[in-house]
C-alpha cells in the first residue's frame, strides 16, 4: 500500500520537475518537496547518509508483524553558502574548479558506496516469503480494498502545487548574502566543515567493537519493536471493541432479517454429520480439522483454552480428564458464549458461574459416554465457542497418550487411546497440533513417535512446546530448547515450531493474567534476545493465527475434492436403490419410524371399534375357563355330598362368599387384562394383505411388550367389581323357563366337559382298552395292569353301594388290597385312594348328568319351591347363579375396558413411541435391514454433499 502511495508521490515529483510554472529553466531536484527527496530520492547528494535499519530474525509479537516499520524521518540538510569576493577573480576561479571536482567525486564515490552498502544489507536480510502464510490475508489485500488511482486523481495538479511552493532562487540568494557576512575564515572552510565532522564521527564509530554494535542495535530494535507492539495492541483492542459493537448491532436485528451462517458454522455442521456417518461404501472423511494430540498432562487443554480465551475444560492434577474426543468450533461473535450441538443453552464465558457449569457439563457428558468397564470413549462431544477476536477453526481435543495403565483404568486404555489418535491423524488433510511438555526430558515423549508415523514428512504437523518458562529455568543448556524447537531432538518433522507459556501452574488463573505473564516472559527471555527463538514462533496468539491460517489453507485445497467424492458415492447409492427397490420410496430410519408410529396408533384406535358383544363373549368364556375348576372342585362337589337341600344351599352360600371376597375380583381383572393384551396383540401382528410391511414387525413387537409392561389396571376396579359380583351371586330368583333351560344347558356342558376330562385321566391310568390294543398293537405297562385291577375292584364296590361317600374308609381300603393280593396283585394303599378319586368322580358326574336331565321339567316345581315333590334341583339354581355372575362381570369389565383401559393403553403406547423416538440405539436395533441402511446412507450422503456445496459457494463468495 505504501508503495502505491510512493508511486503517487513520485508522479507529483515528476510533474513538478517537468512543469515550468513560470520558471524558464529546468527545475533542479532541490525544488522538489523535502519529503519527496528524503523518501524517494535517498541518494541525493545533499541528503545526509542514513544507515539502513538492521533487520534480524526477531519480529513483532503481533499478527501484523509482517507490516513494514514506519520509515525514520531523515534529517534535513542545511546548505552552506560562501561569500563571493568579486575582486579576487583568479582565486575565485580556482576555488570554483576545485569545488566542482570535489563535488563530482564525492557524488560518484558516495553513490557507489551507498549502493554497495545497500546491496550488503539486502543480502543480509532473511527470505521471509515462505512465512507469508502467518500474516492474515487482509494485509496483502489492502491494495485491492483501497483504490489508489482515485486517490491520486483527487490530489491537486502539479501546477497548483508549484504555485504553493516558495521561490527557492530568491531564498538561495538571501542565504548566500547572510552566509557571506557571518562566515569568518577561508572561503572553502565552511563548505567542508560538515564533511570533516562526519569523517571524525565515522572514525570514532569504527573504534567501537562489533559485539557492542550488535548489542546496541539489538537493544534499539527491541525497544522499537516493543513500542510498535504496544501501538498495535492498542489498535487491535480498539478494533476488537468496534467489531463487537458492529456484531451486537447486527445481533439486535436477528428477528428482522435472517442472518447467514458463518463459514465455520457451516463447516462444523458437515463434520458433525460425518461423525455419525457409517462409511459403508469406502467413503472416508478426509475433511480438514485440527487434531490436538500430546502426552498426558502436556498442556493440550491449556493451549486450547488459550486459543478459545476461556477456561472451559475440567481440570485435574495428574488425573485423566479428557476421556473422549471434544470437537471445539471457534468462530467470531458479539458475545463470548459456548453451546453444545444438541442443546440450546448458551453458557456466558464472561461469568464464572456459567464457566463452572460448562466444565461440569463437559465432565458429565464424558463420563456418560464411557461404557461400563472402559476408561475412554470414542464418542465425540461437539462444542461451539463464539467470541470477539476468536480465530475461526475446528479443533479436536483427544485423550492424552499414556505409557502405563495405572490402577482404576481398563486394561485396554493405552491401546484405545492410540487407536483413537491414529484414527484422527490418518486423515491426510488433518492438521496435527503436536503438544510437547517443555519442562520434561524430550526423551520421555511418546506422542512424537506416533506423530512421525502418521506424518513422516511433517507437511501437516505443527509442533508446540509448552511450559517454556519452566524449561528455561530448569534446563542447564539453553541450546537444548532451541534444538527442541528446531526439531533436532526428535525424529519428527513439522511445518512450524512454536513455544508458548500457559500459566504459572495455578488452575485459578484467568486467561488475561496468563496472556500478560506470557508476553512479559518472552519480552525478558534470553531465548528471544539471543535469537534462539524468533518472534513469530512465540505466544499462543501467534500460534492461533498460524493454525487458523493453515487450517483454512487446507480447507480450500481439499474441500472440493471431498465434495466430488461424496457426489460419486451418492450416484452409486442411488443406482443401487433403483435396482433393488424400484417401487419404494427412499425412507430413512426416522421416516420409517414415523410411518410405523402412525400404523401402531391406528391399530390401537381399532380397539375402540370392537363391539360390546365380542368383548363380553370373550370375557365370559375366558373367565369361566379360569374359575370353573374352583367352582366344581371347591364349591359344587363338596356341597353335593350333603344329604339335604338346606345343607347344600348353606354350604354353597358360605363358599361363594369366601370366593367373592378373596379371589374372584382379582381373577376377573386378570382375565380382562389378558383379554385386552390378546386383542391388542392380534391387531398389532395381524397382516393386512399386500400393504403389510414386515420391516415394522420387530418394532411393533417391542412396542407391544413395553406397553404391556408399563400398563397397570385401575386398582379401584376390584373394589367396585367385588360388590357387583357379590350382589349377583346372592340372587337365586329365576324369572322364566328360558333362564331355567339356559342354566340346565350350562350345567350339562360343564359336567360333560369334566366327565370327558375324567375319562381321559382314567384311560391314562389303566392304559388302552381291548379295542385299542388289538387295533393299534399297544399294550399296558405293569403299573397300568395294577391300576386296571384296582379299578375293577373299586367299580364293584360302587355298584354294591351307589350312595357311597366320596372317600374310602380304612377298612374298605384294606378289603380292596386283600382282594387284589388274593388274585396275585400287590398294590399300595395310596394307589387305591388315587384310583378311587377318579372312579368316584366319574360315577358322580354321570349321576349329576342324569339328575340334570330330570330337572329339565323341574321349573314348575321350582316356582312352587319344590313343595310336595321329591325332585330337588338346587344344583341347577347354583349354576344359574354362576352363569348370571359371569354375564354381569363380563359386562362390567367390558365397560371398564372401553371407557378407561383402552384409552390408558393408547396413552402408554404414545409414551413408548416417544421414548423410542428419542433413543437412536433402540431405533437402530428395531429397524434393521439392507433397505433401511441403504436409505440411511443415501440421506446422509445427500445432506453432506448439499452442505459441502453450500460451504464451497460461500467460500468462493468470501474470496
Amino acid at each position: 500500500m505504501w508503495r502505491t502511495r510512493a508511486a503517487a508521490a513520485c508522479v507529483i515529483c515528476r510533474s513538478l520537475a517537468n512543469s515550468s510554472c513560470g520558471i524558464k529553466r529546468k527545475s533542479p531536484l532541490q525544488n522538489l518537496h523535502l519529503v519527496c527527496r528524503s523518501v524517494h530520492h535517498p541518494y541525493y547528494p545533499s541528503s545526509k547518509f542514513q544507515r539502513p535499519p538492521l533487520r534480524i530474525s526477531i519480529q513483532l509479537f503481533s499478527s501484523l508483524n509482517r507490516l513494514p516499520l514506519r520509515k525514520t524521518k531523515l534529517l534535513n540538510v542545511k546548505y552552506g553558502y560562501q561569500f563571493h569576493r568579486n575582486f579576487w577573480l583568479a582565486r575565485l576561479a580556482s576555488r570554483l574548479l576545485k569545488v566542482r571536482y570535489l563535488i563530482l567525486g564525492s557524488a560518484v564515490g558516495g553513490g557507489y558506496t551507498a549502493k554497495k552498502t545497500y546491496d550488503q544489507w539486502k543480502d543480509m536480510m532473511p527470505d521471509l516469503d515462505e512465512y507469508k502464510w502467518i500474516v492474515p490475508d487482509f494485509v496483502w489485500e489492502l491494495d485491492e480494498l483501497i483504490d489508489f488511482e482515485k486517490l491520486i486523481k483527487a490530489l491537486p495538479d502539479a501546477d497548483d502545487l508549484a504555485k504553493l511552493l516558495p521561490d527557492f532562487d530568491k531564498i538561495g540568494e538571501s542565504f548566500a548574502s547572510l552566509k557571506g557576512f557571518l562566515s569568518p575564515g577561508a572561503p572553502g572552510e565552511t563548505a567542508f566543515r560538515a564533511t570533516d565532522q562526519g569523517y571524525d564521527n565515522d572514525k570514532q564509530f569504527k573504534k567501537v567493537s562489533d559485539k557492542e554494535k550488535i548489542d546496541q542495535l539489538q537493544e534499539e530494535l527491541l525497544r522499537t519493536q516493543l513500542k510498535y507492539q504496544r501501538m498495535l495492541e492498542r489498535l487491535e483492542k480498539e478494533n476488537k471493541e468496534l467489531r463487537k459493537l458492529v456484531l451486537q448491532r447486527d445481533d439486535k436485528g436477528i428477528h428482522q432479517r435472517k442472518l447467514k451462517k458463518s463459514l465455520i458454522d457451516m463447516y462444523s455442521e458437515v463434520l458433525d454429520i460425518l461423525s455419525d456417518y457409517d462409511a459403508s461404501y469406502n467413503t472416508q472423511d478426509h475433511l480438514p480439522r485440527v487434531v490436538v494430540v500430546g502426552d498426558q498432562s502436556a498442556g493440550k487443554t491449556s493451549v486450547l483454552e488459550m486459543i478459545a480465551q476461556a477456561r472451559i475444560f475440567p481440570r485435574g492434577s495428574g488425573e485423566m480428564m479428557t476421556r473422549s474426543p471434544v470437537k471445539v468450533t471457534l468462530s467470531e461473535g458479539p458475545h463470548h458464549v459456548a453451546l453444545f450441538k444438541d442443546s440450546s443453552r448458551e453458557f456466558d464465558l464472561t461469568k464464572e458461574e456459567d464457566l463452572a457449569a460448562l466444565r461440569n457439563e463437559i465432565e458429565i457428558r464424558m463420563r456418560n459416554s464411557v461404557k461400563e468397564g472402559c476408561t475412554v470413549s470414542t464418542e465425540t462431544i461437539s462444542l461451539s465457542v463464539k467470541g470477539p477476536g476468536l480465530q475461526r477453526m475446528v479443533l479436536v481435543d483427544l485423550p492424552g497418550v499414556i505409557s502405563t495403565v495405572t490402577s482404576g483404568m481398563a486394561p485396554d486404555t493405552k491401546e484405545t487411546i492410540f487407536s483413537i489418535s491414529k484414527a484422527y491423524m490418518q486423515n491426510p488433510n488433518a492438521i496435527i497440533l503436536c503438544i510437547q511438555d517443555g519442562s520434561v526430558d524430550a526423551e520421555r515423549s511418546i506422542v512424537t513417535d506416533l506423530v512421525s508415523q502418521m506424518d513422516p514428512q511433517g507437511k501437516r504437523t505443527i509442533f508446540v512446546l509448552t511450559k517454556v518458562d519452566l524449561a528455561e529455568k530448569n534446563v542447564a543448556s539453553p541450546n537444548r530448547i532451541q534444538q527442541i524447537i528446531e526439531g533436532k531432538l526428535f525424529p519428527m518433522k513439522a511445518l512450524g515450531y512454536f513455544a508458548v507459556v500457559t500459566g504459572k501452574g495455578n488452575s485459578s488463573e484467568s486467561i488475561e493474567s496468563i496472556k500478560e505473564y506470557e508476553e512479559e516472559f518472552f519480552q525478558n527471555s534470553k531465548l528471544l534476545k539471543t535469537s534462539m527463538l524468533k518472534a513469530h514462533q512465540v505466544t499462543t496468539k501467534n500460534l492461533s493465527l498460524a493454525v487458523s491460517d493453515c487450517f483454512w489453507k487446507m480447507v480450500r485445497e481439499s474441500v472440493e475434492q471431498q465434495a466430488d467424492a461424496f457426489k460419486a458415492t451418492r450416484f452409486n447409492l442411488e443406482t443401487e436403490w433403483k435396482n433393488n427397490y424400484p417401487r419404494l420410496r427412499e425412507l430413512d430410519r426416522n421416516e420409517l419410524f414415523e410411518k410405523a408410529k402412525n400404523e401402531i396408533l391406528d391399530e390401537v384406535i381399532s380397539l375402540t371399534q370392537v363391539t360390546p358383544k365380542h368383548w363380553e363373549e370373550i370375557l365370559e368364556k375366558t373367565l369361566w375357563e379360569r374359575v370353573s375348576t374352583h367352582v366344581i372342585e371347591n364349591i359344587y362337589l363338596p356341597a353335593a355330598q350333603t344329604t339335604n337341600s338346606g345343607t347344600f344351599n348353606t354350604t354353597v352360600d358360605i363358599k361363594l362368599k369366601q370366593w367373592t371376597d378373596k379371589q374372584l375380583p382379582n381373577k376377573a381383572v386378570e382375565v380382562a387384562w389378558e383379554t385386552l393384551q390378546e386383542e391388542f396383540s392380534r391387531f398389532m401382528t395381524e397382516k393386512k394383505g399386500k400393504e403389510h410391511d414386515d420391516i415394522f414387525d420387530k418394532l411393533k413387537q417391542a412396542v407391544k411388550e413395553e406397553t404391556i409392561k408399563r400398563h397397570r389396571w385401575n386398582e379401584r376396579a376390584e373394589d367396585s367389581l367385588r360388590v357387583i359380583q357379590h350382589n349377583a351371586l346372592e340372587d337365586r330368583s329365576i324369572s322364566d323357563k328360558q333362564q331355567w333351560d339356559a342354566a340346565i344347558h350350562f350345567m350339562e356342558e360343564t359336567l360333560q366337559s369334566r366327565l370327558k376330562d375324567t375319562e381321559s385321566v382314567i384311560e391314562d391310568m389303566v392304559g388302552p382298552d381291548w379295542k385299542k390294543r388289538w387295533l393299534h398293537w399297544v399294550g399296558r405297562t405293569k403299573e397300568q395292569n395294577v391300576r386296571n385291577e384296582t379299578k375293577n375292584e373299586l367299580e364293584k364296590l360302587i355298584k354294591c353301594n351307589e350312595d357311597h361317600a366320596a372317600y374310602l374308609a380304612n377298612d374298605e381300603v384294606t378289603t380292596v388290597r386283600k382282594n387284589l393280593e388274593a388274585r396275585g396283585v400287590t398294590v399300595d394303599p395310596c394307589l387305591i385312594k388315587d384310583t378311587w378319586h377318579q372312579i368316584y368322580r366319574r360315577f358322580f358326574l354321570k349321576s349329576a348328568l342324569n339328575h340334570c336331565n330330570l330337572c329339565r321339567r323341574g321349573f314348575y316345581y321350582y316356582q312352587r319351591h319344590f313343595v310336595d315333590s321329591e325332585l330337588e334341583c338346587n344344583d341347577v339354581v347354583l349354576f344359574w347363579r354362576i352363569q348370571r355372575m359371569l354375564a354381569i362381570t363380563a359386562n362390567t369389565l367390558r365397560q371398564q375396558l372401553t371407557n378407561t383401559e383402552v384409552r390408558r393403553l393408547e396413552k402408554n403406547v404414545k409414551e413408548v413411541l416417544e421414548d423410542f423416538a428419542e433413543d437412536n440405539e433402540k431405533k437402530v436395533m428395531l429397524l434393521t435391514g439392507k433397505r433401511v441402511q441403504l436409505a440411511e446412507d443415501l440421506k446422509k450422503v445427500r445432506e453432506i454433499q448439499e452442505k459441502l456445496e453450500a460451504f464451497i459457494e460461500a467460500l468462493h463468495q468470501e474470496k
Side-chain angles (χ1 to χ4, degrees):
M1 184 174 69
W2 64 270
R3 293 176 180 174
T4 308
R5 294 174 180 171
C10 290
V11 171
I12 299 170
C13 296
R14 287 195 297 269
S15 62
L16 287 174
N18 295 330
S19 61
S20 59
C21 299
I23 304 174
K24 295 182 179 180
R25 56 184 176 83
K26 290 186 179 180
S27 177
L29 194 59
Q30 290 90 339
N31 291 349
L32 297 180
H33 193 273
L34 184 59
V35 176
C36 297
R37 293 203 310 270
S38 61
V39 176
H40 307 292
H41 309 283
Y43 304 121
Y44 180 63
S46 63
S47 300
K48 185 177 180 179
F49 174 73
Q50 298 291 327
R51 290 180 178 269
L54 179 61
R55 298 188 62 182
I56 62 173
S57 60
I58 302 176
Q59 300 178 6
L60 299 179
F61 299 127
S62 171
S63 61
L64 302 178
N65 56 359
R66 286 299 303 266
L67 292 177
L69 298 178
R70 186 178 301 172
K71 288 185 177 289
T72 56
K73 186 175 181 181
L74 299 178
L75 296 175
N76 297 333
V77 180
K78 298 181 180 180
Y79 304 99
Y81 295 91
Q82 305 297 325
F83 286 106
H84 300 277
R85 300 181 181 180
N86 298 326
F87 48 89
W88 288 351
L89 296 177
R91 188 174 182 179
L92 178 60
S94 62
R95 288 289 185 180
L96 287 175
L97 291 173
K98 183 183 293 186
V99 169
R100 181 182 61 186
Y101 289 120
L102 286 175
I103 291 174
L104 182 61
S106 299
V108 174
Y112 175 76
T113 305
K115 185 177 185 307
K116 185 176 180 181
T117 306
Y118 173 75
D119 293 337
Q120 291 177 354
W121 282 102
K122 184 178 180 181
D123 294 338
M124 291 172 59
M125 292 173 62
D127 186 9
L128 302 178
D129 290 339
E130 59 183 13
Y131 296 100
K132 284 184 178 180
W133 59 272
I134 299 178
V135 181
D137 293 339
F138 74 90
V139 176
W140 309 109
E141 297 174 357
L142 287 176
D143 56 344
E144 298 179 4
L145 300 176
I146 301 175
D147 193 350
F148 289 103
E149 294 182 359
K150 294 183 178 180
L151 186 62
I152 293 172
K153 293 178 180 179
L155 293 173
D157 296 336
D159 297 338
D160 298 335
L161 288 175
K163 294 178 181 179
L164 298 176
L165 294 175
D167 191 350
F168 290 104
D169 293 338
K170 294 182 179 180
I171 294 176
E173 293 177 0
S174 302
F175 271 107
S177 303
L178 185 61
K179 288 280 184 178
F181 288 106
L182 296 178
S183 208
E189 184 178 354
T190 306
F192 297 99
R193 187 175 296 168
T195 305
D196 295 340
Q197 186 177 358
Y199 175 77
D200 295 338
N201 290 336
D202 290 340
K203 188 175 181 179
Q204 183 180 359
F205 181 75
K206 290 179 181 177
K207 296 180 181 179
V208 183
S209 64
D210 294 340
K211 184 178 180 181
E212 291 178 354
K213 286 194 295 182
I214 293 174
D215 292 341
Q216 290 176 1
L217 290 173
Q218 286 182 348
E219 291 293 334
E220 183 179 358
L221 181 60
L222 283 175
R223 285 194 298 270
T224 306
Q225 287 180 335
L226 292 177
K227 175 183 176 181
Y228 282 102
Q229 173 72 15
R230 287 190 292 269
M231 292 175 62
L232 288 172
E233 287 180 353
R234 179 174 57 81
L235 292 174
E236 288 176 355
K237 185 176 181 180
E238 293 176 357
N239 184 36
K240 182 179 177 180
E241 295 295 331
L242 291 174
R243 289 182 63 84
K244 184 176 180 180
L245 292 175
V246 172
L247 291 171
Q248 285 177 347
R249 185 180 63 183
D250 291 342
D251 193 36
K252 292 178 182 178
I254 286 178
H255 63 282
Q256 298 176 356
R257 59 188 176 88
K258 185 178 180 180
L259 291 177
K260 292 184 178 179
K261 291 185 179 179
S262 64
L263 274 177
I264 193 65
D265 290 336
M266 296 171 66
Y267 187 76
S268 179
E269 286 182 2
V270 176
L271 295 182
D272 289 335
I273 298 172
L274 282 172
S275 64
D276 301 329
Y277 176 63
D278 181 17
S280 303
Y281 295 88
N282 297 325
T283 302
Q284 300 178 359
D285 173 18
H286 288 168
L287 288 175
R289 71 260 287 163
V290 181
V291 181
V292 186
V293 294
D295 299 330
Q296 185 178 351
S297 302
K300 302 189 316 313
T301 302
S302 300
V303 172
L304 269 178
E305 288 180 337
M306 290 294 292
I307 294 175
Q309 299 182 14
R311 309 300 292 269
I312 58 177
F313 291 103
R315 315 188 71 79
S317 55
E319 182 184 357
M320 177 183 289
M321 300 305 297
T322 306
R323 297 180 177 269
S324 65
V326 181
K327 182 176 76 68
V328 182
T329 304
L330 300 180
S331 59
E332 193 171 20
H335 307 288
H336 203 185
V337 295
L339 67 158
F340 291 97
K341 177 186 71 173
D342 55 352
S343 174
S344 59
R345 178 186 176 184
E346 285 191 351
F347 297 88
D348 189 350
L349 302 184
T350 60
K351 297 180 180 179
E352 188 58 38
E353 309 85 49
D354 282 19
L355 279 171
L358 177 61
R359 291 192 289 266
N360 185 51
E361 180 68 19
I362 293 176
E363 186 173 3
I364 291 174
R365 286 174 179 256
M366 284 185 181
R367 295 190 181 276
N368 291 340
S369 67
V370 177
K371 296 180 180 179
E372 186 176 356
C374 299
T375 307
V376 293
S377 170
T378 58
E379 183 179 343
T380 304
I381 299 173
S382 183
L383 178 68
S384 296
V385 179
K386 299 181 180 181
L390 292 183
Q391 299 298 319
R392 303 176 301 169
M393 67 184 95
V394 177
L395 304 102
V396 182
D397 185 21
L398 301 181
V401 179
I402 59 175
S403 58
T404 306
V405 177
T406 59
S407 60
M409 292 184 179
D412 61 342
T413 302
K414 179 179 177 181
E415 290 75 15
T416 305
I417 294 175
F418 268 82
S419 63
I420 293 174
S421 301
K422 287 183 178 179
Y424 276 92
M425 289 190 291
Q426 280 175 351
N427 180 359
N429 296 320
I431 300 168
I432 304 173
L433 194 63
C434 181
I435 309 297
Q436 171 65 33
D437 188 352
S439 63
V440 299
D441 294 336
E443 291 77 9
R444 295 167 56 186
S445 176
I446 308 171
V447 72
T448 51
D449 294 335
L450 182 62
V451 173
S452 62
Q453 294 175 10
M454 297 294 105
D455 185 23
Q457 303 300 323
K459 294 181 179 180
R460 52 189 180 90
T461 301
I462 297 177
F463 183 82
V464 182
L465 187 68
T466 61
K467 307 176 185 179
V468 184
D469 53 340
L470 300 178
E472 185 183 35
K473 187 184 301 182
N474 299 332
V475 177
S477 174
N479 293 329
R480 187 173 178 82
I481 299 177
Q482 185 180 9
Q483 292 176 353
I484 295 175
I485 290 294
E486 294 176 354
K488 295 181 179 179
L489 290 183
F490 300 111
M492 60 172 288
K493 299 178 181 179
L495 184 66
Y497 299 88
F498 288 85
V500 298
V501 175
T502 55
K504 301 179 182 179
N506 186 5
S507 60
S508 61
E509 288 181 285
S510 65
I511 296 296
E512 293 298 327
S513 63
I514 296 175
K515 289 171 63 178
E516 292 176 0
Y517 172 71
E518 183 183 42
E519 292 180 1
E520 182 182 356
F521 167 77
F522 282 116
Q523 288 174 6
N524 301 322
S525 174
K526 295 180 181 178
L527 301 174
L528 201 61
K529 290 183 178 179
T530 57
S531 301
M532 291 185 184
L533 297 178
K534 299 177 182 179
H536 68 273
Q537 292 181 300
V538 297
T539 72
T540 51
K541 184 175 183 180
N542 287 338
L543 171 64
S544 176
L545 291 169
V547 173
S548 177
D549 193 75
C550 188
F551 168 76
W552 284 106
K553 181 182 179 182
M554 189 74 77
V555 167
R556 292 186 180 95
E557 292 176 353
S558 61
V559 68
E560 293 187 0
Q561 181 182 1
Q562 291 299 302
D564 293 339
F566 279 103
K567 186 176 181 180
T569 303
R570 175 179 176 177
F571 176 78
N572 295 337
L573 294 175
E574 288 176 346
T575 303
E576 185 175 359
W577 181 273
K578 291 176 182 178
N579 293 332
N580 293 320
Y581 311 103
R583 298 183 180 181
L584 293 177
R585 287 193 302 133
E586 299 170 4
L587 299 179
D588 61 6
R589 186 171 281 110
N590 292 329
E591 293 171 339
L592 286 172
F593 182 83
E594 289 299 322
K595 183 179 179 181
K597 177 180 177 181
N598 294 331
E599 287 188 10
I600 293 171
L601 293 177
D602 291 342
E603 290 162 358
V604 174
I605 293 176
S606 299
L607 287 173
T608 60
Q609 307 301 320
V610 178
T611 61
K613 182 180 179 181
H614 180 73
W615 279 120
E616 291 180 8
E617 288 178 354
I618 296 176
L619 290 169
E620 186 175 350
K621 180 181 178 181
T622 309
L623 180 59
W624 175 240
E625 290 175 355
R626 189 67 59 85
V627 302
S628 60
T629 302
H630 180 83
V631 171
I632 299 298
E633 303 293 335
N634 298 328
I635 298 176
Y636 174 61
L637 290 179
Q641 304 303 317
T642 59
T643 56
N644 55 63
S645 61
T647 307
F648 179 88
N649 291 331
T650 301
T651 303
V652 166
D653 290 344
I654 292 173
K655 291 187 176 294
L656 286 176
K657 181 70 167 58
Q658 294 175 351
W659 183 45
T660 306
D661 291 341
K662 296 180 180 179
Q663 300 179 12
L664 183 56
N666 183 265
K667 288 288 184 183
V669 170
E670 288 181 2
V671 167
W673 175 221
E674 290 176 3
T675 303
L676 180 60
Q677 292 180 38
E678 291 175 0
E679 289 297 306
F680 178 54
S681 301
R682 181 172 66 85
F683 281 109
M684 292 284 286
T685 58
E686 186 179 17
K687 295 185 178 181
K688 298 176 177 59
K690 296 181 179 179
E691 297 180 358
H692 178 74
D693 195 345
D694 55 1
I695 203 171
F696 300 141
D697 290 346
K698 291 178 66 176
L699 176 61
K700 290 181 178 180
Q701 183 68 21
V703 171
K704 183 195 75 173
E705 293 175 356
E706 185 65 24
T707 303
I708 291 173
K709 187 188 299 183
R710 295 187 185 185
H711 188 79
R712 295 290 181 273
W713 201 275
N714 191 356
E715 297 178 355
R716 293 177 296 178
E718 289 188 15
D719 298 334
S720 61
L721 191 61
R722 182 179 291 108
V723 176
I724 294 171
Q725 291 172 338
H726 187 271
N727 293 334
L729 291 173
E730 285 290 329
D731 188 8
R732 296 190 182 92
S733 60
I734 303 176
S735 59
D736 54 20
K737 182 71 166 55
Q738 185 178 0
Q739 293 181 357
W740 180 267
D741 293 340
I744 290 177
H745 180 70
F746 175 62
M747 177 180 175
E748 190 176 25
E749 284 184 349
T750 303
L751 294 178
Q752 287 178 352
S753 174
R754 293 294 165 179
L755 179 60
K756 186 177 180 180
D757 294 340
T758 304
E759 292 283 1
S760 177
V761 172
I762 292 174
E763 184 178 355
D764 292 339
M765 290 174 61
V766 301
D769 57 6
W770 66 272
K771 289 183 179 180
K772 291 183 178 180
R773 290 201 303 272
W774 280 99
L775 294 175
H776 301 286
W777 292 86
V778 292
R780 291 173 176 167
T781 62
K782 184 178 180 180
E783 184 181 356
Q784 288 176 342
N785 286 324
V786 172
R787 284 187 178 276
N788 185 55
E789 295 294 333
T790 306
K791 180 194 73 135
N792 295 332
E793 190 68 25
L794 292 174
E795 285 178 348
K796 294 177 183 178
L797 181 63
I798 290 180
K799 287 181 181 179
C800 295
N801 184 12
E802 292 183 356
D803 295 332
H804 197 287
Y807 301 100
L808 283 175
N810 291 332
D811 55 347
E812 292 176 330
V813 174
T814 303
T815 301
V816 172
R817 183 172 59 81
K818 288 183 178 181
N819 291 337
L820 293 173
E821 288 178 356
R823 294 201 299 268
V825 179
T826 304
V827 66
D828 187 72
C830 294
L831 186 145
I832 297 173
K833 291 181 180 180
D834 292 341
T835 308
W836 168 258
H837 176 72
Q838 298 299 330
I839 297 300
Y840 181 81
R841 182 185 180 88
R842 182 179 64 178
F843 171 76
F844 173 80
L845 291 174
K846 288 181 178 180
S847 302
L849 282 171
N850 294 329
H851 181 71
C852 182
N853 289 328
L854 295 174
C855 289
R856 288 182 184 278
R857 302 183 301 271
F859 181 68
Y860 171 75
Y861 299 103
Y862 166 76
Q863 287 181 327
R864 297 181 60 184
H865 303 288
F866 300 104
V867 177
D868 300 332
S869 174
E870 295 180 358
L871 183 64
E872 293 182 357
C873 297
N874 294 313
D875 48 358
V876 177
V877 177
L878 170 63
F879 276 93
W880 181 84
R881 292 165 70 182
I882 297 295
Q883 187 183 32
R884 186 167 182 271
M885 183 273 298
L886 291 174
I888 293 175
T889 302
N891 180 268
T892 304
L893 292 174
R894 189 267 306 167
Q895 293 180 13
Q896 292 180 0
L897 281 171
T898 56
N899 296 336
T900 306
E901 299 304 327
V902 171
R903 295 179 181 176
R904 293 179 63 235
L905 182 69
E906 182 181 359
K907 182 180 178 182
N908 289 337
V909 170
K910 290 181 179 179
E911 291 178 355
V912 170
L913 288 172
E914 290 176 358
D915 293 343
F916 283 7
E918 296 176 357
D919 192 347
N920 291 326
E921 294 182 359
K922 183 77 72 175
K923 287 191 290 186
V924 171
M925 182 176 63
L926 298 177
L927 293 173
T928 58
K930 180 180 178 181
R931 170 185 157 193
V932 181
Q933 191 61 45
L934 187 57
E936 195 75 11
D937 292 340
L938 255 175
K939 178 193 173 184
K940 288 188 177 181
V941 169
R942 283 174 180 160
E943 187 178 5
I944 293 169
Q945 183 194 359
E946 291 171 0
K947 289 188 177 294
L948 275 176
E949 289 177 352
F951 172 75
I952 292 171
E953 182 179 356
L955 191 65
H956 290 326
Q957 290 177 357
E958 188 183 56
K959 283 186 179 180

